[in-house]
Amino acid sequence: MERQLDGRTVMLARVVLLTYRNRTVDLSKLEPKQIGVLVLAAPFVLLGASGWTEQLLFTTPSPTKYLLTVITPIIAAIVALAPSPFLVFVGAAVFVAPAATLNVSFFGVSFQALVVACLLAGIPLLLGLTKPVGKSALSAVLPYMLVLAAIPAARGSNVWEPVSIGLYAAAVVFLCARAIKQHGGLLVVLCSSLTSLLLQAALAIWEFQTRSEFDVYTGTIRSTSDYFFDFQSQPRPTGTYSDPISLGTALVAAIPVGIAAVYILLQRGKRLAATGVVVALAVIGVGLALSLSRMASLGALASLVAIVLFAPRGARGRMAAMSGGLLAVLLLGAITLGGPSLLERASSVSDPTARGVVTADGDRDREFLWNLALETGLEHPVTGVGVGNLNKVLLAHAPGSSASTHAHSVYLQIFSESGVLGIGALALLLGAVGMDLRRARARAPVLTAGLAGAVVALCIAAVTDVVTIRYVAVATTIAPILGLVVGLAGQDADDRSR
């Protein structure tokens, strides 16, 4: 038993240390501080693995809570040993963003993992241990955006929800922008985001094949039959998100950024790492296709075109070949798994309301909501009806509406609730992102092309749904994209000012 325990301790030490060092660790050469950290962390890991910690802290056990008790002391050890604890917390925040609404209670006190990661990352910021980001266009227009949004928000009936989503997203954007100023920060943000979305896509594929859904909080598996978003008899996977559209929107941004990462890795001769990213992109792309989210899929296709157009001239041919090859692999994998459901869903893109289309009635309802939202905005063109008030209009005039009914379009939702003031704020946002992409291009042209493709994909996905502005999990999942744009643009501006 003692030998097994010693073996586990040594293995734990190697795992912890290899997470931040790129060489094999000789335990005999560890510094006293490192040995102390490992000795302190090991008992807590073993107690967590035995289940004792879970029984002590939680009244209702679950696999998620069990893993939390095991992983927490490991993360604490990594933070203590890592050269930059700030990057560890930022990576954790990016990783847990898809489960941002997950609440865990300790002794009756509830908290969200994302909030904890952001607060812990804020400690080095308050202590002045991180480098500031240079000025960006987005930071410059932010005060004007807030002024434009203030009046519609003041007229709203449910202001806290969009405000809280904006705060969550802004926090992740800020942390990611700061992170890439640190050595290795860019790699941490990209790897954390890609790994998180890879898990979401893998979970989606599992859900699609098993017709089941995994509850991340309780750790239970339940049937997805008769789910609202089912397509014919085929359930649509959601990952840990609330619906398949959210899943599709979250996954779509990874495609162009991943292609850019593959190109950069190949340029640096890191073929093994490039192969790993390609495999991850294949899984993510199949998960996106199986979500049956039409506009997100169209956004992915548009992003492949955008990444070629935004790429440096010398890289466009190779980027086009990589995009085409990846698209072929994704189509083959998606059709193999999705079969008739995927093909029938894709065929409805050209004429969604045509006779014989399974979802024609739902798309006609969506068109009605679009028209109603547009009319509402035209009746209140300056400030709209107020943030959160469109639902009241839909309940009064759209048959079958419920408390969750919305405009099914980010742009129409903003126009109907905020008028031209809201559209002006959105225009400032998109314009600032465009300017920051232009600045970032001088510093990281290939990566910026991938980020531009992600922005294009998200803008297209926003045409037919509102998940990016209604759900904190979606907003914080895509926030690292803006964080990278702001960070790269800010770095460039800061360097030029010297």
Side-chain angles (χ1 to χ4, degrees), residues 473-490:
V474 180
T476 52
T477 299
I478 64 177
I481 298 296
L482 291 182
L484 291 174
V485 173
V486 170
L488 290 172

Side-chain angles (χ1 to χ4, degrees), residues 15 18 24 59 105 137 150 152 167-168 197 218 225 232 240 273 298-299 335 367 369 380 385 434 441 446 466 491:
V15 169
L18 286 174
T24 303
T59 56
S105 299
L167 290 175
Y168 273 108
L197 293 176
T218 63
S225 59
Q232 295 182 321
T240 61
L298 290 176
I335 292 174
E367 287 184 345
L369 294 175
H380 305 82
V385 294
R441 194 172 188 269
V446 175
V466 297
Q491 282 186 323

Side-chain angles (χ1 to χ4, degrees), residues 91-100 188-204 239-241 247 250-251 254 280 284 473 476-478 480:
V94 173
F95 182 81
V96 303
V188 168
V189 173
L190 288 174
C191 288
S192 299
S193 181
L194 185 64
T195 303
S196 180
L197 293 176
L198 174 61
L199 292 177
Q200 291 295 322
L203 179 58
T240 61
Y241 296 97
L247 174 67
L251 294 179
I284 290 173
T476 52
T477 299
I478 64 177

Side-chain angles (χ1 to χ4, degrees), residues 12-31:
L12 171 65
R14 290 185 178 276
V15 169
V16 170
L17 292 174
L18 286 174
T19 56
Y20 83 101
R21 296 196 177 192
N22 295 322
R23 59 181 176 84
T24 303
V25 177
D26 185 352
L27 297 182
S28 64
K29 297 181 180 180
L30 291 178
E31 299 175 1

Side-chain angles (χ1 to χ4, degrees), residues 23 43 57 82 116 158 163 182 196 230 240 283 292 296 339 365 378 384 449-450 455 459 490 494:
R23 59 181 176 84
L57 297 178
V116 173
N158 185 21
V163 169
Q182 315 303 311
S196 180
D230 285 357
T240 61
V283 175
L292 301 183
D365 292 339
L378 293 175
V455 172
C459 288
D494 187 36

Side-chain angles (χ1 to χ4, degrees), residues 176-231:
C176 290
R178 275 292 183 98
I180 67 172
K181 284 285 287 184
Q182 315 303 311
H183 178 69
L186 179 61
L187 183 62
V188 168
V189 173
L190 288 174
C191 288
S192 299
S193 181
L194 185 64
T195 303
S196 180
L197 293 176
L198 174 61
L199 292 177
Q200 291 295 322
L203 179 58
I205 294 173
W206 174 84
E207 289 176 340
F208 188 88
Q209 291 184 309
T210 62
R211 298 172 180 264
S212 302
E213 183 178 350
F214 178 74
D215 189 323
V216 68
Y217 183 76
T218 63
T220 58
I221 299 173
R222 57 180 182 269
S223 173
T224 58
S225 59
D226 298 326
Y227 181 46
F228 174 76
F229 287 97
D230 285 357
F231 182 75

Side-chain angles (χ1 to χ4, degrees), residues 252-270:
V252 69
I255 303 296
V257 177
I259 292 176
V262 171
Y263 182 91
I264 295 172
L265 290 171
L266 290 176
Q267 286 289 93
R268 297 180 179 179
K270 299 182 178 180

